[in-house]
Amino acid sequence: MDSLDLLYGIVIVVFFAMIIGVGLYSRKNTKDVSSFVLGGRRVGPWLTAFSFGATYFSAVIFIGYAGKFGWDFGVSALWIGLGNAFIGSLAAWVVLGKRCRIMTKTLNTNTMPDFFGKRYNSKALRIASALIIFIFMIPYSASVFNGLSYLFTSALRLDRISNGYEICIIVMSVLAATYVILGGYMSTAINDFIQGMIMIVGIVMTIVCVLNYHGGLMSSMTELSKVPAANGSSFQGVYSSLFGPEPLNLLGVVILTSLGTWGLPQMVQKF
């Protein structure tokens, strides 16, 4: 084990301890179902905003956007980020935020199935929505843990040991389950705030390092313009263009990733 591995290990242990500590701290405020599921409706705007953002942009921003969309669309992938920011986040809060807050508080509901059941006075709708959420949250959660496991396996060089990926995904699953069970939504919101700050710092550092490596923004764009299109397009500099090599596919991704969050239960519950 070299000094870099030791440093990684210390940082990870401190981070894990901090997350568990947040769970233990939040546990004292978890008295009933409402405080466990919604934090007693006492979560402030900053925690709520960061929780929404960290849930929205988790593994997808580092694995999906950078590793897939950035590779496929080049600079035009920024349209996805803009769509997510203004349609998936800002517009969702403007249109749904206050309305959901008022209605759920008036009906005294804690979850989406509970809301549907009381709003439409339908036990069947409540059961159906609960089943839909339960079934489709499984592949969603699996994809998030899968992406994060690949990221940490690569970053921490766990691929050098046997079953490094499996160890990583088990540790993260147990860790997430522990702090959620301990502190409920309040624990999740605080940890999301911490992780959101880490994500912001990490993204800024990545951008600075990449641009610095290529000699600045204009030099980076010049280098990117020399990359030939994977779809065989003869257009020179397609990856540095405004709409990229596949504008229609890009539009579809913007719509899918921006409007899809409006109906995700883990996002709507933040309101």
Side-chain angles (χ1 to χ4, degrees):
M1 177 183 292
D2 56 28
S3 58
L4 187 60
D5 289 332
L6 180 60
L7 178 61
Y8 283 160
I10 293 174
V11 171
I12 292 299
V13 170
V14 171
F15 179 68
F16 285 178
M18 179 177 60
I19 288 178
I20 298 300
V22 169
L24 293 172
Y25 168 78
S26 303
R27 185 181 182 183
K28 63 182 181 181
N29 296 318
T30 306
K31 307 295 184 181
D32 50 28
V33 174
S34 178
S35 60
F36 182 84
V37 177
L38 297 176
R41 300 184 187 273
R42 296 189 303 271
V43 180
W46 281 102
L47 286 181
T48 301
F50 269 86
S51 182
F52 186 92
T55 303
Y56 196 162
F57 306 106
S58 52
V60 67
I61 197 168
F62 297 102
I63 306 298
Y65 285 11
K68 174 62 177 174
F69 296 146
W71 183 264
D72 287 346
F73 301 120
V75 173
S76 63
L78 290 173
W79 287 110
I80 304 174
L82 292 173
N84 291 174
F86 290 101
I87 301 175
S89 298
L90 180 60
W93 276 91
V94 171
V95 175
L96 298 177
K98 188 175 182 179
R99 292 175 174 85
C100 288
R101 179 80 172 187
I102 293 174
M103 292 189 69
T104 54
K105 190 173 183 179
T106 301
L107 295 173
N108 191 28
T109 58
N110 298 317
T111 64
M112 286 189 69
D114 195 21
F115 168 76
F116 285 132
K118 291 185 177 180
R119 173 65 177 82
Y120 298 102
N121 193 27
S122 173
K123 184 177 180 180
L125 184 58
R126 179 181 182 180
I127 295 174
S129 60
L131 286 174
I132 291 173
I133 292 172
F134 175 77
I135 292 172
F136 288 99
M137 280 297 290
I138 294 175
Y140 171 83
S141 301
S143 65
V144 171
F145 280 110
N146 183 51
L148 288 175
S149 296
Y150 276 118
L151 175 64
F152 280 104
T153 300
S154 176
L156 301 178
R157 297 187 287 182
L158 295 178
D159 49 354
R160 298 176 301 172
I161 64 176
S162 178
N163 300 321
Y165 167 81
E166 289 78 6
I167 293 173
C168 189
I169 199 169
I170 290 173
V171 169
M172 287 197 302
S173 300
V174 172
L175 182 68
T178 301
Y179 77 74
V180 170
I181 292 172
L182 284 174
Y185 179 69
M186 181 62 75
S187 174
T188 302
I190 296 175
N191 276 315
D192 282 344
F193 177 82
I194 296 172
Q195 293 166 30
M197 295 297 294
I198 295 174
M199 288 168 63
I200 291 175
V201 173
I203 292 171
V204 171
M205 290 179 63
T206 300
I207 294 174
V208 171
C209 289
V210 169
L211 294 181
N212 183 63
Y213 179 81
H214 290 286
L217 177 60
M218 297 309 298
S219 297
S220 300
M221 294 293 290
T222 301
E223 290 295 320
L224 186 61
S225 67
K226 298 177 182 178
V227 179
N231 62 358
S233 173
S234 59
F235 179 63
Q236 183 67 27
V238 65
Y239 287 119
S240 59
S241 64
L242 187 61
F243 298 109
E246 301 177 85
L248 291 180
N249 287 340
L250 176 63
L251 177 61
V253 172
V254 172
I255 295 174
L256 179 65
T257 59
S258 298
L259 294 179
T261 57
W262 288 49
L264 291 178
Q266 70 272 26
M267 307 300 293
V268 177
Q269 189 174 359
K270 308 296 182 185
F271 302 137

